[in-house]
Amino acid sequence: MEKVLTKMVGIENSRNIDVYLKSGGYQALPKALKMTPDQLVGMMKDAGVRGRGGAGFPTGMKWSFLPKDNPNPRYLLCNADESEPGTCKDRVLMEEDPHQVIEGLAISSFAIQAHTCYIYIRGEYVNGAQVLNKAIQEAYDKGYLGKNILGSGFDLDITVHRGAGAYICGEETGLIESLEGKRGWPRIKPPFPAVYGVFGSPTIVNNVETLVTPVHIINRGIQWWKDNEPKLYCMSGHLNRPGVFEAKIGINLKDLIYGDDYSQGIAKGRKLKAVIPGGSSVPVLKADECDVAMDFDALAKAGSALGSAGCMVMDETTCMVNALWNLIKFYAHESCGQCTPCREGGHWMEMVLGRIETGRGRMEDLDLMLETANNIAGRTICPLGDALAWPIAGMPDKNKGGDLSGNSFVTKFRDEFEYHITNKKCKVTIPHEWN
Amino acid sequence: MALEFNAEYKKQVDWTLSRYPKKEAAMLPVLHLAQYQFGYISTEVMELVAKTLDVPVSRVQDVVTFYSMFREQPVGKYHIQVCHTLACAINGGAQVVKYLEEKCGVKANEGISADGKFSILRVECLGSCSTSPMMQVNDDYYENLTKARIDELVEKWKKE
């Protein structure tokens, strides 16, 4: 398959503006500047682009929420916090092809008529920030950024803003608070950022991969996009060839795991046990549930989610109790502390899982976890509470009046949890060696 | 005596301030610069940042204590942060920590080695999941770690 998003990966000096120009870069921007902002928003709607950061919200619709009559300046915030465990795709775009990102940001900024754009990049991506800064300077020098871009009369400044190691700043209102120089404490919505965002101004927050999509829709057309929509998948865990792969959205999960062009199967010839398909907050799939299309709707139907397409693959050496404990420790650590269900619930779930893992568990702990997860999900300002609850107890289920379905770690691998509690040891006996 | 940014960092601080409509918004980038110059964020550094941004020191402390990358204690010359979240954990993250502890002569999360060279931290996901196990040393990522690779790196750092 022809690579679109990752076309530049592996090309020598792919970060250099001349190399990007030679391979057809910055051709969409002049076309965009000749369109009207409304046409661009309509284009995103017609193409059906959905946010790549996790929630899958329609991008064109988000952009159209900006109030027409608000006199304050508008802002575009590029969410490059990439902190959902299992996700490492935006790093590839930023580090290998920064000009694609800049071109996408310039087009998107024009579409929403923002003259200031910040790239909020996670603090640990020092290299990514340096690469972007260098590329931004090149773009200023060549007139793709700054005043009167390509003679269009449109001005745009882009600034790279480094975070400082807080998962919660990937949540759009947490990101906004953090950008304002505060703790990344998410805000209650409404008002939504489109109305009252950073510095009290109308603001759009989108993921990096989302913001590069208009480049390709302009270059290749809406119909092409609909027929070939490319998506990045981050494959990690017990694989022969882990990595970030580009594929048409909706590729079968089995093809990603076993395909020659992708991860080439489970390492060391072992058996597949489970997959978390969309970043650590989405419900886990058992090996026999992996014949599923990797798109928003199919995964939702399968009781999980595409999320950020961070796909963690676990083989038979993985203890499911330990794996869930690991994830819940992450969420307990990263809770911002504002809402009681998430702050306290996360901590208690970590303790309960810890006691099961270390042989001090009680059988009633399993239902206690499912019940507690239900009391966390949907009861917090931001989705971190949900992200903590879903791996334990699955996604909300309409048939259960919005309660969590139960279809995740604790239910799907209940035998392993029970074995731990009864036998005070792990059911998995194959060790994982590291050398 | 009150601390000051040196000339090189002062220039970067001034440029950073020019990129935001409100001074306070430069909090994170200015704290990063301060941490590069002074090594860690002491009370005196917080006072400097507060003065630079025209905010009370308590506002700076509020932020410093929230974000895991800002540290209030000195670290080793090579500050090693090993990812221990799932994708790394199932590929040997814990063994990497144990091996580094033996090689560097310091326990994870327990300060600096006697020679002042190493400190080790277990940290949450660093967004490098498809190249696990991995670690960040100062600003740089080291990925797909093996014992041989760690041997090579630690020996090099010990000589420097």
Side-chain angles (χ1 to χ4, degrees):
Chain A
M1 192 192 116
E2 184 200 0
K3 299 279 183 281
V4 180
L5 303 169
T6 53
K7 182 173 91 171
M8 301 296 286
V9 176
I11 291 178
E12 203 181 339
N13 292 325
S14 63
R15 302 159 172 182
N16 182 285
I17 194 163
D18 294 321
V19 176
Y20 182 68
L21 282 165
K22 238 177 251 165
S23 64
Y26 287 114
Q27 285 182 7
L29 178 59
K31 288 179 202 154
L33 292 170
K34 289 195 181 83
M35 293 165 74
T36 65
D38 283 345
Q39 281 174 331
L40 283 164
V41 175
M43 176 190 84
M44 295 298 274
K45 279 185 182 168
D46 292 344
V49 177
R50 294 177 68 174
R52 265 86 165 119
F57 192 80
T59 307
M61 196 192 288
K62 196 185 229 184
W63 290 4
S64 65
F65 288 158
L66 286 165
K68 300 265 181 219
D69 52 356
N70 190 316
N72 292 326
R74 291 174 173 180
Y75 290 93
L76 177 67
L77 308 183
C78 173
N79 186 345
D81 197 52
E82 187 143 81
S83 37
E84 175 83 352
T87 318
C88 46
K89 63 188 176 60
D90 298 335
R91 180 179 171 216
V92 174
L93 293 174
M94 294 185 290
E95 291 189 358
E96 304 297 329
D97 194 5
H99 284 289
Q100 180 190 188
V101 175
I102 293 167
E103 186 173 12
L105 294 180
I107 295 167
S108 306
S109 296
F110 179 72
I112 66 161
Q113 288 292 296
H115 300 291
T116 312
C117 167
Y118 294 100
I119 304 174
Y120 189 103
I121 186 170
R122 62 176 300 166
E124 294 88 349
Y125 283 178
V126 184
N127 181 38
Q130 285 167 348
V131 169
L132 280 169
N133 272 324
K134 191 159 179 250
I136 288 170
Q137 193 52 53
E138 287 179 335
Y140 269 104
D141 292 345
K142 296 242 181 202
Y144 296 111
L145 290 177
K147 296 261 177 253
N148 190 17
I149 294 171
L150 304 174
S152 65
F154 178 67
D155 304 338
L156 176 65
D157 283 312
I158 299 183
T159 303
V160 177
H161 184 98
R162 280 177 62 209
Y167 169 75
I168 195 62
C169 296
E171 195 279 336
E172 62 177 359
T173 59
L175 186 151
I176 287 170
E177 286 284 306
S178 178
L179 185 66
E180 290 182 352
K182 301 178 225 159
R183 290 180 163 222
W185 277 9
R187 296 175 180 174
I188 294 172
K189 296 189 263 192
F192 287 91
V195 177
Y196 189 93
V198 72
F199 311 123
S201 284
T203 302
I204 293 294
V205 188
N206 280 133
N207 173 260
V208 181
E209 192 190 347
T210 311
L211 290 172
V212 302
T213 58
V215 176
H216 306 293
I217 301 173
I218 290 172
N219 281 337
R220 293 161 188 262
I222 292 171
Q223 196 53 49
W224 178 88
W225 178 266
K226 284 181 161 176
D227 296 341
N228 300 282
E229 185 172 345
K231 175 83 192 82
L232 296 182
Y233 293 96
C234 326
M235 303 299 293
S236 65
H238 298 133
L239 293 163
N240 281 322
R241 194 169 72 134
V244 176
F245 299 101
E246 179 176 342
K248 187 178 165 187
I249 196 163
I251 184 176
N252 193 291
L253 176 53
K254 278 193 157 169
D255 290 336
L256 280 173
I257 297 172
Y258 295 103
D260 285 343
D261 293 336
Y262 306 103
S263 285
Q264 301 175 355
I266 307 299
K268 296 174 185 158
R270 287 187 169 137
K271 258 170 60 190
L272 174 65
K273 182 168 188 177
V275 179
I276 298 173
S280 61
S281 63
V282 311
V284 67
L285 299 173
K286 294 175 85 162
D288 60 10
E289 295 170 318
C290 289
D291 189 1
V292 61
M294 290 286 281
D295 64 32
F296 293 104
D297 298 329
L299 278 166
K301 217 173 143 196
S304 191
L306 180 61
S308 56
C311 192
M312 290 190 273
V313 178
M314 293 169 270
D315 72 11
E316 55 194 318
T317 65
T318 317
C319 163
M320 288 294 130
V321 180
N322 204 351
L324 182 61
W325 189 28
N326 183 294
L327 293 180
I328 300 309
K329 272 194 266 191
F330 173 85
Y331 289 107
H333 181 265
E334 296 298 334
S335 174
C336 81
Q338 271 194 106
C339 312
T340 312
C342 169
R343 182 189 64 237
E344 303 298 320
H347 176 66
W348 279 103
M349 290 297 91
E350 180 190 343
M351 305 250 279
V352 170
L353 280 159
R355 78 180 175 217
I356 298 174
E357 170 68 15
T358 52
R360 294 172 293 121
R362 311 159 193 167
M363 213 44 97
E364 60 266 30
D365 282 346
L366 301 180
D367 289 333
L368 174 70
M369 277 198 289
L370 294 173
E371 192 191 318
T372 310
N374 251 312
N375 284 329
I376 298 171
R379 288 174 165 81
T380 51
I381 292 173
C382 88
L384 199 151
D386 302 332
L388 159 71
W390 292 345
I392 299 171
M395 305 292 275
D397 186 349
K398 276 187 203 139
N399 299 327
K400 292 189 171 183
D403 278 2
L404 302 182
S405 67
N407 288 328
S408 193
F409 272 93
V410 176
T411 306
K412 287 186 180 176
F413 296 96
R414 194 165 178 117
D415 59 324
E416 257 186 66
F417 284 80
E418 288 180 352
Y419 188 95
H420 255 275
I421 293 166
T422 310
N423 300 287
K424 305 190 186 312
K425 62 179 184 187
C426 192
K427 197 176 177 187
V428 176
T429 49
I430 317 163
H432 178 83
E433 328 75 36
W434 169 75
N435 41 31
Chain B
M1 208 184 82
L3 297 173
E4 293 293 343
F5 284 109
N6 66 27
E8 182 200 333
Y9 281 104
K10 181 80 177 64
K11 218 171 113 188
Q12 289 189 56
V13 168
D14 289 342
W15 182 84
T16 302
L17 289 172
S18 76
R19 304 298 289 182
Y20 300 91
K22 290 185 178 163
K23 266 187 168 180
E24 205 177 333
M27 178 78 80
L28 262 48
V30 170
L31 277 167
H32 278 303
L33 290 169
Q35 187 159 277
Y36 278 121
Q37 181 178 333
F38 300 104
Y40 66 103
I41 311 286
S42 62
T43 309
E44 292 75 18
V45 174
M46 288 187 212
E47 284 166 2
L48 169 65
V49 172
K51 193 180 76 179
T52 309
L53 302 175
D54 261 339
V55 295
V57 182
S58 59
R59 279 277 301 106
V60 180
Q61 189 178 24
D62 185 48
V63 168
V64 169
T65 51
F66 184 79
Y67 294 92
S68 60
M69 281 180 75
F70 298 130
R71 43 184 190 252
E72 295 177 77
Q73 302 292 331
V75 292
K77 184 179 175 194
Y78 298 96
H79 183 48
I80 304 171
Q81 306 188 70
V82 186
C83 173
H84 74 167
T85 311
L86 194 58
C88 283
I90 61 174
N91 269 333
Q95 286 119 302
V96 170
V97 171
K98 204 165 157 242
Y99 194 64
L100 280 164
E101 286 176 333
E102 288 163 17
K103 296 286 295 183
C104 299
V106 61
K107 290 270 182 203
N109 302 31
E110 287 183 17
I112 308 171
S113 62
D115 59 5
K117 283 221 159 147
F118 300 105
S119 49
I120 305 172
L121 273 189
R122 287 186 201 90
V123 295
E124 299 297 346
C125 185
L126 291 172
S128 185
C129 311
S130 54
T131 52
S132 65
M134 63 80 63
M135 63 183 180
Q136 180 175 22
V137 182
N138 300 338
D139 280 350
D140 300 321
Y141 276 25
Y142 296 88
E143 301 161 54
N144 297 314
L145 292 173
T146 59
K147 279 184 181 162
R149 178 78 174 127
I150 290 177
D151 288 343
E152 180 195 328
L153 289 166
V154 174
E155 290 315 315
K156 189 181 89 183
W157 292 330
K158 278 187 175 167
K159 283 186 202 129
E160 276 170 10

